[in-house]
Amino acid sequence: MSSHDIYDLVIIGGGPGGLTAGIYAMRAALKTALIEMGVPGGQMNNSDSVENWPGDEHIGGSELGMKFHQHAQSYGLEIISQEVAELEPGLEVHTVKLAGGDQLSAHAIILATGGSPRKLDIPGEEEHYGKGVSYCAVCDGFFFRDKTVVVVGGGDTAAEESLYLAKLAKQVYLVHRRDALRAGALLQQRVKAECKIEILWNSVVTEIKANDSGVYAVDLQNTQTAEKKELAADGVFIYIGFEPNNKLVPAGTKMNADGLVVTDEKCETNAPGIYVIGDLREKAYRQIVISASDGATAALAAAHYVETRKSAEACELPEALQTEAS
Ligand code: NAP
């Protein structure tokens, strides 16, 4: 393989972290490819409104994703729409094997594969997915206009999506297992002030029931009293956090008990030249701006890493000259 076939950097994942890394890598003149199997923007595409991206008081999640994408493309970033099957670390270069059979080699890799919605793992959830069970209000909320929906969870996402659904549905029940929401203070205030949202505290959904027309009810259980009841609902939206998409993380990479990758402050893993950013990386907070910051950090670190490797290689004497010199 000639050095022309080797990328300086391959970024896997096109969410806010991956696309920011792409922008920074192109500005650092790295030969870079970004591989994304879905729509660029990642989880941002599931968000109706983003209100904490500096510089934009309100912006639609998919619109923000599109802006990141266009910005990266304006620098000529090569974007490959494929699934990655495997990442094989190497001493000289790392190999990215695509599901279609092709493979790419790169000096540095940034893994930005984020996470996927965590499942409740209750009866009816998997069977009725797409028939009343959803993990994306922006995608499916429209089908519940003037209907009754249940939202499960107590974090920022459950709060944001309840507010979104309240614009469409007749009634939103926010079912939370504790007596206090985890969501930020401002979101909590808005949820509590929205008359279409009723919070069912200390409650869990134990079963989702459906007939031929779709979901018609959920079974609830009180976590304090163990009391059970059926609640009529046409749809169930589940927002109980994310599971990291870590299947491409090479064996031997340091991870914590939650499957999140441990990195240093430059987002570099214990495998030299392999960086992990965004929601796949162990850290305190998960925000679009923090993923973007990770992307910038990792791309700058990767640029330094690639430059150092290349100058070390350039300083090595060709084999013939080495023999003469000895
Ligand atoms: P999260 O903060 O992890 O909250 C998950 C919620 O689901 C918690 O309230 C949790 O209850 C509940 N839960 C977990 N497992 C459950 C189960 N098996 N049954 C019932 N309830 C369960 O997840 P998230 O709201 O998706 O947010 C993920 C991260 O993204 C957070 O860091 C959040 O701040 C961030 N986020 C950022 C933005 C933004 O930047 N604009 C938007 C949305 C989210 P407990 O509270 O009892 O643990």
Side-chain angles (χ1 to χ4, degrees), residues 50 52 118 120 152-158 160 176-178 180 182 204 239-242 285-288:
V50 176
N52 53 9
R118 184 175 290 146
L120 276 170
V152 188
D156 283 337
T157 313
E160 276 184 356
H176 183 40
R177 62 183 177 182
R178 289 190 293 126
R182 182 181 289 275
V204 288
Y239 297 109
I240 58 164
F242 287 88
Y285 302 106
R286 285 161 210 288
Q287 299 286 311
I288 297 169

